[in-house]
């Protein structure tokens, strides 16, 4: 598994991608990772994850941020054990949080990561103001 800090040095070729924190890799996460791997295999793409460090709520609402279940190292080991090919760890800071939805899609997903297939959870929100 390849691990990238950020997205600019990441995907050299198109990827199948899912986005999330994946802390603890619970059953819902496992189902998403399975679906990602199936789509990646079907389409001949690497299975890639976009995750954040720190957890976005640690920056946005620190008083209600969830306790971490795993360290970043443990998270990466868990993702590796689930057959993920690439993990892009994005520093979640004020600049990243201020990206508009259009910037996030165009600059991060399309330009940097070259996504061809995307899976997100029901509660996923992105871009400034969610």
């Amino acid at each position: 598994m390849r691990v990238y800090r950020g997205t600019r040095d990441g995907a050299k070729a198109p990827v199948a991608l899912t986005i999330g924190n994946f802390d603890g890799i619970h059953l819902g996460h496992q189902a998403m990772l399975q679906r990602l791997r199936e789509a990646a295999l079907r389409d001949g793409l690497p299975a890639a994850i976009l995750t954040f460090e720190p957890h976005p709520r640690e920056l946005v609402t620190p008083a209600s941020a969830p306790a971490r279940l795993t360290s970043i190292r443990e998270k990466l080991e868990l993702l590796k054990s689930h057959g993920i090919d690439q993990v892009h760890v994005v520093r979640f800071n004020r600049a990243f949080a201020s990206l508009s939805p259009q910037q996030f899609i165009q600059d991060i997903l399309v330009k940097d990561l070259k996504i061809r297939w995307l899976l997100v959870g029901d509660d996923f929100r992105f871009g400034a103001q969610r």
Side-chain angles (χ1 to χ4, degrees), residues 21-75:
N21 285 298
F22 297 99
D23 189 23
I25 316 292
H26 57 66
L27 291 176
H29 288 149
Q30 291 174 38
M32 287 182 74
L33 297 176
Q34 176 65 30
R35 190 166 171 206
L36 171 68
R37 285 192 322 273
E38 290 169 358
L41 183 62
R42 179 194 67 228
D43 295 346
L45 301 168
I49 302 285
L50 176 63
T51 193
F52 310 102
E53 181 62 30
H55 189 293
R57 286 178 45 196
E58 289 181 32
L59 176 75
V60 179
T61 56
S64 65
R68 291 184 186 224
L69 301 176
T70 57
S71 68
I72 186 69
R73 181 177 299 273
E74 292 167 324
K75 180 192 309 192

Side-chain angles (χ1 to χ4, degrees), residues 99-110:
L99 290 175
S100 71
Q102 295 81 3
Q103 286 174 300
F104 180 78
I105 291 169
Q106 189 58 41
D107 294 345
I108 304 299
L109 299 182
V110 175

Side-chain angles (χ1 to χ4, degrees), residues 70-87:
T70 57
S71 68
I72 186 69
R73 181 177 299 273
E74 292 167 324
K75 180 192 309 192
L76 293 172
E77 287 300 321
L78 285 168
L79 292 171
K80 181 180 180 180
S81 75
H82 284 277
I84 300 307
D85 299 309
Q86 300 175 13
V87 178

